Amino acid sequence: MILVIGGAGYIGSHLVKELIKKETVVVLDNLSTGHRVAVDQKAIFVEGNLGNEDDLKSVFSKYPIKAVMHFAANSLVGESVINPLKYYENNVGDTLTLLKVMLRHNVKNFIFSSTAATYGIPNVDIISESTVTNPINPYGRSKLMIEQILADYAKAYDLNYVVLRYFNAAGAFQTGEIGESHNPETHLIPIVLQHLAGQREKVSVFGSDYETPDGSCIRDYIHVMDLANAHILALESLLEGRNKTATYNLGNGLGYSVKEVIETCEQVTGVKANVEIAERREGDPGKLVASSAKIFEELGWNTERDLTEIIQSAWNWHQNQKY
Ligand code: UFG
């Protein structure tokens, strides 16, 4: 059995859809930002907190868990600057509680959701796992702290782990059953699609004076189901003993500017956007593009969906959004 913490959230719920084909899945989620209906019906659902030892103990005593995948975190950069306490308590403190209870129950396989925000403002064009980490906000620091703690725990307590550093997750499950739903929404693609569906007056481009060809920020957008597949491969590598500790970037290796994303959304939907140029958003690096060569070479992962397919699946979800 695999325990998926945060399995009712955006990325976790997509992973569960894929994992349930191979494994029995237990989802633990406190539903603070996740959606109960997003959890596949074949999964066992437990409402509870990863920072609550009693909630964890009851899950680990009841079910024979062989690995934990940990998606539950606060993940808004801006909020983390205003309220760092929340980020250190929830992302660091609660994860420490989880690791303690896991180890006590002799569960030693762990997959951790990390982020491109651990790199800060990179000094290279394409980011590899050996690029120096230098996060510029509490969110990125909270994730890097856990990465460092994992390395110590692996040595001292024989913990096996894979850290996955996501770039920009987007898109939705192929059937349109589940997709991205945040409140408030801050991510570019859903915001543009909400505007093109008539639910927002305009789209703001945050900054047009970056050192990029069109002046807007460049990001590496990765389909949420490609991310899900990477988690399955990472899990198999731990369970089969091929990996003891590993850190991988997950991106497409292609950068698109904010303006290019808006244009692609226009092409997919056939609707013209009302675009305004706005101030830079604090804490946004100009360009974040991943090299995912390492996971390609070591685990055979590859991305199967490009930006157009990402936006098509998101649009499909958005037009018939269930939650
Ligand atoms: N953007 C706009 N207008 C909007 C919304 C976003 O121009 O209305 C821009 C942002 O400035 C950024 C790009 O679109 O340049 C993408 O922004 P998102 O908010 O969609 O995603 P981020 O790149 O900010 O965030 C992602 C992850 C975070 C992670 C961060 C690392 O979602 O978890 O990358 O920098 F921390």
Side-chain angles (χ1 to χ4, degrees), residues 75 77 115-117 139 167-168 186-189 191 203-206 217-219 221 258 281 283-285 288:
S75 62
V77 169
T115 169
Y139 168 62
F167 282 62
N168 287 61
T186 61
H187 293 110
L188 179 64
I189 291 176
I191 282 181
V203 178
S204 304
V205 175
F206 296 147
C217 285
I218 292 179
R219 293 286 181 275
Y221 295 89
V258 173
R281 189 172 67 179
D284 276 346
L288 289 173

Side-chain angles (χ1 to χ4, degrees), residues 21-212:
K21 295 178 188 165
K22 304 176 179 227
E23 299 275 359
T24 310
V25 177
V26 182
V27 168
L28 177 76
D29 199 300
N30 65 5
L31 299 180
S32 62
T33 56
H35 306 271
R36 176 67 185 88
V37 287
V39 180
D40 191 286
Q41 286 181 356
K42 292 186 285 304
I44 299 161
F45 181 77
V46 179
E47 188 171 342
N49 274 313
L50 81 134
N52 181 320
E53 284 195 36
D54 292 335
D55 289 355
L56 293 171
K57 272 185 214 156
S58 64
V59 171
F60 284 108
S61 326
K62 190 164 175 194
Y63 303 108
I65 304 294
K66 57 183 179 180
V68 176
M69 299 173 123
H70 176 25
F71 293 86
N74 296 115
S75 62
L76 299 176
V77 169
E79 183 187 53
S80 79
V81 176
I82 294 164
N83 192 0
L85 179 69
K86 177 176 176 184
Y87 280 71
Y88 292 121
E89 270 186 356
N90 295 351
N91 293 2
V92 181
D94 289 355
T95 303
L96 291 182
T97 306
L98 166 66
L99 289 169
K100 182 172 68 182
V101 179
M102 259 180 74
L103 290 169
R104 222 182 261 153
H105 286 81
N106 214 24
V107 179
K108 300 228 166 156
N109 295 309
F110 190 61
I111 299 198
F112 180 61
S113 301
S114 190
T115 169
T118 53
Y119 294 108
I121 299 176
N123 55 4
V124 293
D125 216 33
I126 304 289
I127 300 168
S128 74
E129 294 79 357
S130 56
T131 299
V132 66
T133 47
N134 187 17
I136 56 169
N137 51 60
Y139 168 62
R141 277 191 280 276
S142 73
K143 290 289 183 175
L144 187 60
M145 283 175 191
I146 294 296
E147 290 194 17
Q148 290 164 337
I149 289 164
L150 289 175
D152 290 339
Y153 280 26
K155 279 194 201 119
Y157 310 128
D158 207 25
L159 176 75
N160 309 310
Y161 71 83
V162 176
V163 164
L164 298 172
R165 291 180 180 153
Y166 310 156
F167 282 62
N168 287 61
F173 193 60
Q174 46 275 15
T175 60
E177 274 165 78
I178 59 171
E180 186 169 9
S181 177
H182 296 115
N183 188 17
E185 189 51 78
T186 61
H187 293 110
L188 179 64
I189 291 176
I191 282 181
V192 177
L193 295 179
Q194 284 170 1
H195 163 60
L196 295 178
Q199 294 155 359
R200 282 174 191 262
E201 229 174 275
K202 59 185 180 201
V203 178
S204 304
V205 175
F206 296 147
S208 62
D209 56 353
Y210 285 95
E211 280 179 33
T212 58

Side-chain angles (χ1 to χ4, degrees), residues 7-21:
Y10 170 45
I11 299 173
S13 62
H14 286 76
L15 171 274
V16 169
K17 283 269 176 221
E18 213 46 44
L19 185 62
I20 203 85
K21 295 178 188 165

